[in-house]
Amino acid sequence: MATLGLSEAERESVERFERDVIEPSMTALVIVDFWAEWCGPCKQLSPVLDKVAEDYAAKGVKLAKIDVDQEKLLASQFRIQSIPTVYAIYRGQPVADLTNYRSEGQIKKVLDQLLDQLKIEPEGAAPQAEIEPLVAMGEQVLADGDAARAANIFRQVREMAPDKPEVIGGLVRSLIAGHEYSEADDILGGLPEELSKSPEISRARVALEIASAPKVDTSSLEARLAANPDDHEARLELANAKMADGDRDSAADALLEIVGRDREWNEGAARQRFLQLLEAQGLEDPWSSAQRRRLSALLFT
């Protein structure tokens, strides 16, 4: 914003704007609230914006307030016609008009979308470009069967990116593979609700549920099935036991056998458990893809 020909007060106004909005917006998403003391709706919106800014400070969001009576030059530059007017600024440019969003939930929803689209990282966070190859390394080490080393890799990456669900999920699955169920459960139990809903955390949670199931002697279950192949309860228990032992192939075979014999048994319990098995393995895993094709062949032929 040019300052040639401006009064001293106007130059100070421009300098404040550059300091409080433009400079922070180079790395953060800045919410700019145009308001005035006499504006009733502004006073209603102000505490909502304060709360959202506080909740999202760690995610790379900052709040700046501009009194249009005190900062007439800025109000004219932004062509403010009515207040409150709220813009989101990133890298010195308006990227969204938030004026019509008045509730905390509405504002947070649009901020989530902006943060994702603009790839804005929290202040001090490691860039995603640095994190991705380390996560891939941890996943490869885990796939190679070295659970302890994979857990160490993911612990180190988590120090760089403490809130990345793919990092937390990888760490938890590494701990599960190493039979460190208590630590895995502690990590999952300490996550905030919004993070717990991510696919990576859901996968880890299902994996822990499967792996920590009580070990049982399967000989009695196999005897029941030999006597009655339609004993679906016994076959489901057998599948759960195989899952807990890490025998995913036998577990999948047992669950698909139930689906093939009676797909609606117990409100589709076998199919639901089968899908949980795939989720724990990873839905994009080649093994999971092959198992999905087996399920489809049963359901649609």
Side-chain angles (χ1 to χ4, degrees):
M1 186 180 295
T3 59
L4 187 64
L6 300 181
S7 68
E8 183 64 25
E10 289 173 333
R11 280 198 296 271
E12 291 178 356
S13 177
V14 171
E15 289 173 0
R16 281 195 299 273
F17 183 75
E18 291 179 346
R19 182 185 66 245
D20 297 341
V21 177
I22 299 300
E23 291 178 7
S25 78
M26 293 299 106
T27 56
L29 186 67
V30 181
I31 303 172
V32 182
D33 175 25
F34 291 90
W35 71 289
E37 186 63 37
W38 48 264
C39 171
C42 297
K43 292 182 178 180
Q44 293 178 335
L45 181 61
S46 181
V48 177
L49 293 175
D50 289 340
K51 174 67 163 52
V52 170
E54 180 180 357
D55 291 347
Y56 275 60
K59 297 184 178 182
V61 174
K62 298 181 183 295
L63 175 64
K65 298 190 178 186
I66 297 178
D67 185 333
V68 296
D69 288 337
Q70 301 296 323
E71 310 284 1
K72 290 184 171 61
L73 174 65
L74 296 179
S76 65
Q77 289 288 332
F78 278 87
R79 300 179 181 177
I80 303 301
Q81 302 295 321
S82 62
I83 53 175
T85 293
V86 183
Y87 291 128
I89 308 290
Y90 184 58
R91 296 192 182 279
Q93 299 295 325
V95 292
D97 185 347
L98 309 183
T99 304
N100 292 328
Y101 304 105
R102 298 301 176 92
S103 72
E104 181 179 337
Q106 290 174 333
I107 296 171
K108 286 184 174 181
K109 182 176 181 180
V110 71
L111 287 180
D112 286 336
Q113 294 171 346
L114 288 171
L115 291 170
D116 181 61
Q117 291 169 1
L118 298 171
K119 307 301 181 186
I120 296 175
E121 299 289 346
E123 187 174 354
Q128 184 67 19
E130 294 181 13
I131 299 299
E132 288 179 352
L134 296 175
V135 171
M137 179 192 300
E139 292 288 357
Q140 185 60 56
V141 171
L142 179 58
D144 291 342
D146 194 340
R149 183 176 168 226
N152 287 333
I153 292 172
F154 281 116
R155 283 195 185 96
Q156 293 176 36
V157 180
R158 196 182 183 193
E159 292 180 2
M160 302 167 58
D163 296 323
K164 290 288 187 183
E166 60 268 36
V167 177
I168 300 171
L171 173 57
V172 170
R173 288 185 288 105
S174 299
L175 292 170
I176 294 168
H179 306 291
E180 300 290 343
Y181 303 139
S182 179
E183 184 179 351
D185 187 55
D186 288 344
I187 291 174
L188 292 174
L191 297 178
E193 182 180 355
E194 60 185 47
L195 192 57
S196 296
K197 295 177 181 178
S198 67
E200 296 89 349
I201 302 304
S202 296
R203 177 187 175 187
R205 197 178 302 280
V206 171
L208 178 60
E209 176 194 341
I210 291 172
S212 59
K215 301 298 187 288
V216 299
D217 181 5
T218 60
S219 58
S220 61
L221 298 173
E222 291 167 349
R224 286 171 56 185
L225 287 170
N228 178 14
D230 286 326
D231 187 344
H232 301 323
E233 191 67 46
R235 200 179 298 277
L236 181 60
E237 291 183 34
L238 179 63
N240 288 335
K242 295 297 184 182
M243 290 166 68
D245 284 338
D247 187 352
R248 63 183 187 182
D249 290 326
S250 295
D253 290 344
L255 293 169
L256 289 175
E257 182 69 21
I258 298 173
V259 174
R261 289 174 177 270
D262 185 354
R263 68 182 63 177
E264 300 304 326
W265 173 77
N266 197 14
E267 298 182 346
R271 186 168 67 251
Q272 294 171 22
R273 195 61 168 163
F274 181 80
L275 294 176
Q276 286 182 319
L277 175 61
L278 302 192
E279 182 180 13
Q281 180 65 32
L283 297 179
E284 302 305 318
D285 187 272
W287 182 86
S288 297
S289 298
Q291 298 303 319
R292 279 202 305 272
R293 289 193 291 271
R294 293 180 67 195
L295 177 62
S296 297
L298 280 176
L299 296 177
F300 303 109
T301 58

